[in-house]
Amino acid sequence: MIPKVRKAVFPAAGLGTRFLPATKAMPKEMLPLVDKPLIQYGIEEAIQSGITNVVIVTGRGKTAIEDHFDVSFELEHLLESKGKDDMLQAVRSISDMVDIAYVRQREALGLGHAILRARDLVGPEPFAAVLSDDVIDSEKPCLRQLLDVYEYFGCSVVALMEVPRDQISAYGVVAADPVPHSGMDGRLFRIQDLVEKPKAEEAPSNMAIIGRYILTPEIFTALDETVPGRGGEIQLTDGLRHLLRSRPIYGVKFEGRRFDAGDKLGFLKATVEFALKREDLGDPFREYLRHLTV
Ligand code: UTP
């Protein structure tokens, strides 16, 4: 029997230097896309994929995240007394969303280190990891696409996306062989190797790892044994490379559009596209854009 994935880890303790000064006192995961913080999009994706427990790894600005998902009695009372039922519903639904536990990463020692901090709360079971600054707009939630593959093979699965060669050095990159599998249309791969941020000429392919993972619990031992790299950081890609020695890892070229909302330009693109799709904002916003001189 392949064990069910119940939990998702959300690392949110990075320094967010690409988004300074906005991220000086607030994690980038709290930046709002239209009217919801990035991390809420990620949590909604996880819930829609069947996840029931969330672990958030926090660093600076921890209270902003905790407060966002907590009950706010004063705000609810105020909205109630003013008869703002829609707003009240929107605010309540956030705190009712899912069971959330928090763990602290005191120093930003890399994504792999952040995942290791969740070890006690996850326990010996498979789990999902979601980097909420990668916002993915898709019909079927990206995490669900990965879970379908996990539920078939029972192995770790990473999300993959083709990126132009001149941008490849910003990513973890895989060498991978296609695996024929019904309904996957050439989108399923068996990973042969992984490299973190290779030089363009040394990249083993143009397929980059995007921030959605299903990880089997052996990743914790693998990360424990991973030697920290530059700046004392433990990279998840290096941990996965270690894991690959003993377990197969699969990759899925997911269906959907990904925005790098941790980057200013990516964030702006996501804001425009998400606003255009909104029922309440789409038409007036489109109208506004039409009149811009660009
Ligand atoms: P990034 O690679 O985007 O790094 O992290 P960053 O530090 O957050 O941002 P920049 O590059 O300085 O602008 C990818 C994910 O891993 C988390 C981040 O919060 C983000 O979700 N992370 C990264 C941690 O939780 N801890 C770390 O030590 C590093």
Side-chain angles (χ1 to χ4, degrees):
M1 254 274 280
I2 294 172
K4 201 171 153 37
V5 174
R6 303 182 302 139
K7 301 179 181 174
V9 176
F10 286 73
L15 296 178
T17 48
R18 283 171 296 159
F19 235 114
L20 281 167
T23 46
K24 186 179 172 209
M26 179 185 75
K28 69 175 161 189
E29 286 75 7
M30 283 303 291
L31 290 168
L33 214 51
V34 187
D35 55 5
K36 278 194 293 192
L38 297 178
I39 193 161
Q40 190 176 333
Y41 287 91
I43 289 186
E44 287 174 359
E45 179 186 327
I47 294 170
Q48 283 157 15
S49 303
I51 296 292
T52 51
N53 297 66
V54 162
V55 175
I56 302 180
V57 184
T58 60
R60 294 167 316 147
K62 158 189 149 88
T63 46
I65 298 184
E66 288 193 358
D67 289 348
H68 182 74
F69 291 106
D70 205 351
V71 180
S72 172
F73 291 110
E74 298 94 321
L75 182 60
E76 288 189 15
H77 180 71
L78 191 82
L79 294 172
E80 206 163 11
S81 66
K82 291 195 168 182
K84 301 204 167 181
D85 294 342
D86 287 1
M87 292 285 173
L88 181 64
Q89 199 43 45
V91 165
R92 270 201 186 136
S93 67
I94 301 169
S95 47
D96 290 343
M97 220 170 249
V98 71
D99 189 19
I100 305 183
Y102 296 89
V103 62
R104 192 110 165 123
Q105 185 191 25
R106 258 181 239 109
E107 236 186 305
L109 290 176
L111 175 57
H113 182 264
I115 299 277
L116 258 183
R117 295 292 300 135
R119 188 180 202 162
D120 288 348
L121 287 170
V122 169
E125 54 179 289
F127 63 101
V130 178
L131 310 190
S132 36
D133 51 341
D134 274 335
V135 177
I136 298 172
D137 184 23
S138 57
E139 217 166 282
K140 186 183 205 179
C142 180
L143 209 54
R144 187 65 248 168
Q145 298 179 40
L146 265 56
L147 280 163
D148 286 349
V149 172
Y150 164 78
E151 284 164 8
Y152 188 87
F153 292 102
C155 297
S156 294
V157 186
V158 300
L160 298 174
M161 188 179 98
E162 283 182 30
V163 303
R165 277 276 167 183
D166 61 341
Q167 291 165 28
I168 202 83
S169 338
Y171 296 87
V173 182
V174 300
D177 294 332
V179 178
H181 191 68
S182 74
M184 293 292 295
D185 277 343
R187 290 181 299 102
L188 179 65
F189 293 83
R190 175 118 180 225
I191 309 287
Q192 302 301 338
D193 199 6
L194 313 92
V195 198
E196 180 65 13
K197 300 191 170 73
K199 286 188 191 137
E201 60 276 17
E202 288 166 16
S205 75
N206 64 344
M207 277 198 296
I209 307 172
I210 299 303
R212 300 289 184 279
Y213 309 79
I214 307 300
L215 300 167
T216 54
E218 298 82 25
I219 190 69
F220 291 124
T221 321
L223 284 168
D224 238 354
E225 292 167 359
T226 299
V227 182
R230 218 173 346 122
E233 292 194 1
I234 300 177
Q235 300 302 343
L236 179 57
T237 309
D238 295 336
L240 285 166
R241 192 174 205 208
H242 202 88
L243 179 67
L244 195 58
R245 289 187 209 154
S246 54
R247 309 271 158 152
I249 301 177
Y250 288 87
V252 175
K253 238 198 261 175
F254 60 91
E255 286 181 314
R257 290 183 64 208
R258 172 258 188 183
F259 298 91
D260 179 6
D263 166 80
K264 285 173 202 164
L265 185 59
F267 181 83
L268 288 170
K269 288 180 186 171
T271 301
V272 171
E273 302 249 1
F274 276 63
L276 285 172
K277 281 176 67 160
R278 282 274 294 252
E279 237 170 65
D280 54 340
L281 294 168
D283 287 343
F285 188 48
R286 195 166 292 109
E287 195 54 29
Y288 165 74
L289 291 178
R290 262 199 210 106
H291 288 93
L292 283 185
T293 320
V294 287

